[in-house]
């Protein structure tokens, strides 16, 4: 299974390594670095890289590459899912998963990796179980450990490990019983020059934060469950009930967890929430170019589009820009040729626009192609696919919990071609 794990930062330095079966030389990462050099973007590094004696399987999260070394053939998605689980665990323990946070808590990191894999095979990946095995670091605990020489490793086996519900510890008690669910959808789309949709799909997740006393049994039903394709569940979900009735029935883990992830790929179900009017022109033999861009909301079900950020990689021949935004601020880096426009919230009554001219190198030929425009945005209290939770019921306990559901849509890879 997994022999070694290397953590590589954005500079290409290996800042942490862990070996389970046998020590694999760092030189194996040279194949990864070669693939990294060939990739145009950091996220374009191939997730699976075969080498003469190993396979390198990697994920990029928070500008850190998590590179697993495998000696025999295994399902790549199995390893990729485990690597994502490692990142989520680090985030849960340290608040953020950055190089600095990992270096500051390096002892806890090694303890976690030792528990999450046993001889290269996944063992304990549930946050509840890990938190009973290894206490999350706090300032007080760090000081005590430094003085006494003790560790964060617990002395008893987690109670959940011995039960039929290994993801939930026994004897959970809360003063305030509450269950919150976040439906978060990310839209990936490519829009052509005329404004037609070339491709559009939605990746969605339902994240939960459940703090309930005892051993509650929850059911969650949707208004339109048939929208969901390619659904991936947390192990707590009873799959047969979902197949038969399209209802989620589960005993939840304690705390934060991802209940399910789903995919909506039918073009007619994916509504594009923003439109872009653009006019980017370069004239042959001229040292000036024209840049005009206007954004507007399209199908947002009456919800505001906010946190809008527009970026575009301009051609190499552009020396500088002279642009005026009607809203927000813009920057242009003459070295990388990256234009960024921080729009903020779109006001439908007064649409934001960015207009002006671009200075080109004298005598340079007209650029071969127009730049593409990448857009980031968020829409609060709206799920673009139209997915809606119908009701949430609890069985097995007598108290009445507080329940809350929040929706959010955000842009993934949203690209407009000009």
């Amino acid at each position: 299974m997994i022999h070694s794990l290397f953590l590589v930062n954005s500079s290409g330095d290996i800042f942490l390594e862990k070996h389970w079966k046998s020590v694999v030389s760092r030189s194996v990462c040279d194949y990864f670095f070669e693939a990294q050099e060939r990739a145009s973007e950091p996220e374009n590094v191939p997730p699976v890289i075969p080498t003469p004696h190993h396979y390198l399987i990697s994920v990029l999260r928070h500008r850190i590459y998590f590179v697993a070394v495998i000696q025999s053939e295994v399902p790549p998605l199995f390893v990729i899912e485990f690597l994502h689980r490692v990142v989520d665990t680090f985030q849960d323990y340290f608040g953020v998963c950055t190089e600095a946070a990992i270096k500051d808590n390096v002892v806890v990191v090694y303890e976690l990796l030792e528990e999450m894999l046993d001889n290269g095979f996944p063992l304990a990946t549930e946050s509840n179980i890990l938190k009973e095995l290894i206490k999350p670091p706090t300032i007080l605990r760090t000081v005590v450990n430094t003085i006494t020489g003790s560790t964060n490793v617990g002395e008893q086996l987690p109670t959940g490990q011995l039960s039929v519900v290994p993801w939930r510890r026994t004897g959970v008690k809360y003063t305030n019983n509450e269950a919150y669910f976040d439906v978060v959808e990310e839209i990936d789309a490519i829009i052509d020059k005329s404004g037609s949709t070339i491709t559009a799909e939605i990746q969605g997740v339902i994240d939960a934060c459940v703090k309930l006393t005892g051993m509650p049994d929850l059911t969650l039903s949707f208004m339109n469950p048939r929208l969901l394709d390619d659904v991936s569940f947390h192990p707590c979900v009873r799959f047969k009930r979902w197949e038969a009735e399209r209802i989620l029935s589960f005993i939840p883990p304690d705390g934060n967890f991802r209940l399910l992830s789903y995919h909506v790929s039918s073009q007619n179900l994916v509504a594009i929430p923003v439109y872009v009017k653009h006019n980017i022109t370069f004239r042959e033999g001229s040292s000036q170019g024209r840049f005009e861009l206007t954004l507007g909301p399209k199908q947002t079900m009456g919800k505001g589009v906010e946190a809008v950020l527009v970026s575009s990689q301009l051609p190499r021949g552009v020396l500088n820009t002279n642009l005026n935004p009607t809203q927000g601020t813009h920057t242009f880096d003459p070295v990388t040729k990256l234009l960024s426009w921080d729009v903020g919230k779109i006001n439908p009554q007064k649409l934001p626009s960015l207009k002006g001219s671009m200075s080109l190198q004298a005598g340079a030929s007209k650029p071969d192609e127009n730049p593409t425009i990448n857009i980031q945005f968020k829409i609060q209290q709206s799920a673009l696919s139209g997915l809606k939770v119908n009701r949430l019921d609890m069985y097995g306990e007598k108290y009445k919990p507080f329940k809350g559901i929040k929706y959010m849509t955000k842009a993934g890879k949203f690209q407009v071609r000009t």
Side-chain angles (χ1 to χ4, degrees):
M1 193 57 193
I2 299 175
H3 275 246
S4 302
L5 176 68
F6 295 95
L7 269 57
V8 182
N9 61 19
S10 53
S11 308
D13 300 322
I14 299 170
F15 66 92
L16 187 134
E17 59 185 277
K18 169 78 176 121
H19 308 279
W20 282 275
K21 292 191 171 184
S22 55
V23 176
V24 177
S25 170
R26 284 188 171 200
S27 60
V28 76
C29 290
D30 291 345
Y31 296 97
F32 175 79
F33 295 138
E34 286 172 17
Q36 195 180 6
E37 281 175 21
R38 287 195 297 269
S40 56
E41 298 285 334
E43 58 266 24
N44 290 346
V45 176
V48 181
I49 301 169
T51 73
H53 303 291
H54 304 90
Y55 292 96
L56 304 182
I57 300 179
S58 64
V59 299
L60 173 64
R61 293 274 300 270
H62 310 288
R63 300 177 68 194
I64 299 172
Y65 290 99
F66 290 74
V67 185
V69 180
I70 319 293
Q71 280 194 335
S72 56
E73 278 199 29
V74 295
L77 287 175
F78 187 80
V79 180
I80 288 169
E81 177 60 32
F82 174 76
L83 293 177
H84 281 299
R85 195 66 70 91
V86 169
V87 180
D88 293 340
T89 303
F90 288 172
Q91 212 164 354
D92 196 22
Y93 263 72
F94 314 135
V96 290
C97 181
T98 60
E99 184 182 351
I102 291 170
K103 284 180 175 176
D104 289 346
N105 300 282
V106 70
V107 174
V108 179
V109 166
Y110 277 111
E111 288 170 350
L112 285 169
L113 291 174
E114 198 63 52
E115 294 297 340
M116 292 181 82
L117 273 192
D118 180 32
N119 198 32
F121 290 87
L123 177 65
T125 58
E126 277 297 326
S127 182
N128 282 296
I129 294 168
L130 287 168
K131 281 181 178 172
E132 282 192 75
L133 279 166
I134 298 154
K135 302 287 184 285
T138 61
I139 294 171
L140 179 62
R141 197 171 284 140
T142 305
V143 171
V144 171
N145 288 352
T146 306
I147 295 169
T148 61
S150 56
T151 69
N152 289 354
V153 179
E155 293 179 2
Q156 292 181 325
L157 191 69
T159 50
Q161 284 282 62
L162 305 174
S163 76
V164 291
V165 190
W167 53 82
R168 186 175 180 86
R169 59 195 175 94
T170 55
V172 182
K173 286 186 181 175
Y174 287 103
T175 310
N176 298 321
N177 292 288
E178 49 199 20
Y180 299 107
F181 293 87
D182 289 353
V183 181
V184 182
E185 294 190 341
E186 197 170 90
I187 177 168
D188 299 329
I190 298 176
I191 314 296
D192 71 6
K193 192 174 181 178
S194 61
S196 305
T197 305
I198 297 173
T199 176
E201 58 183 28
I202 291 171
Q203 313 285 348
V205 298
I206 298 181
D207 287 327
C209 177
V210 176
K211 296 182 177 179
L212 299 174
T213 302
M215 196 67 77
D217 201 325
L218 303 181
T219 61
L220 187 73
S221 60
F222 301 99
M223 297 271 204
N224 39 10
R226 303 283 166 194
L227 283 174
L228 305 179
D229 300 331
D230 200 11
V231 188
S232 170
F233 298 105
H234 187 279
C236 69
V237 175
R238 298 180 180 101
F239 186 59
K240 284 195 174 176
R241 178 99 188 257
W242 169 260
E243 278 193 313
E245 304 173 44
R246 283 290 190 257
I247 288 175
L248 293 177
S249 171
F250 56 98
I251 295 172
D254 180 41
N256 298 307
F257 65 100
R258 177 154 292 174
L259 182 62
L260 69 93
S261 57
Y262 59 91
H263 184 87
V264 179
S265 56
S266 304
Q267 295 264 358
N268 54 349
L269 293 176
V270 180
I272 303 298
V274 296
Y275 67 86
V276 180
K277 288 181 180 174
H278 50 79
N279 179 24
I280 302 173
T281 54
F282 303 98
R283 284 193 297 279
E284 193 70 59
S286 172
S287 62
Q288 291 289 314
R290 190 79 195 142
F291 189 99
E292 293 181 5
L293 197 65
T294 304
L295 292 171
K298 196 173 181 183
Q299 300 175 18
T300 59
M301 284 83 78
K303 308 293 182 185
V305 183
E306 54 191 56
V308 180
L309 180 66
V310 180
S311 62
S312 181
Q313 189 73 47
L314 297 184
R316 284 187 210 158
V318 177
L319 295 175
N320 217 327
T321 60
N322 182 19
L323 304 173
N324 293 311
T326 58
Q327 179 183 326
T329 57
H330 82 286
T331 57
F332 174 70
D333 188 333
V335 178
T336 60
K337 312 298 182 189
L338 183 67
L339 173 68
S340 297
W341 178 26
D342 190 349
V343 181
K345 189 171 183 178
I346 294 179
N347 179 3
Q349 273 71 46
K350 190 183 176 186
L351 298 179
S353 64
L354 181 66
K355 296 181 182 178
S357 61
M358 296 175 285
S359 303
L360 306 172
Q361 285 177 355
S365 59
K366 182 182 168 186
D368 295 333
E369 54 187 29
N370 272 7
T372 54
I373 296 163
N374 297 301
I375 305 174
Q376 295 289 323
F377 57 81
K378 286 182 183 174
I379 305 171
Q380 300 287 356
Q381 294 306 322
S382 170
L384 213 56
S385 65
L387 183 72
K388 274 207 165 50
V389 173
N390 183 24
R391 59 183 296 159
L392 175 68
D393 297 309
M394 185 182 79
Y395 305 95
E397 298 291 339
K398 297 214 167 119
Y399 57 83
K400 279 194 173 179
F402 180 81
K403 299 174 277 192
I405 292 163
K406 191 172 79 177
Y407 300 89
M408 188 177 79
T409 297
K410 60 183 180 178
K413 289 187 175 179
F414 195 95
Q415 189 181 87
V416 179
R417 294 176 178 171
T418 63

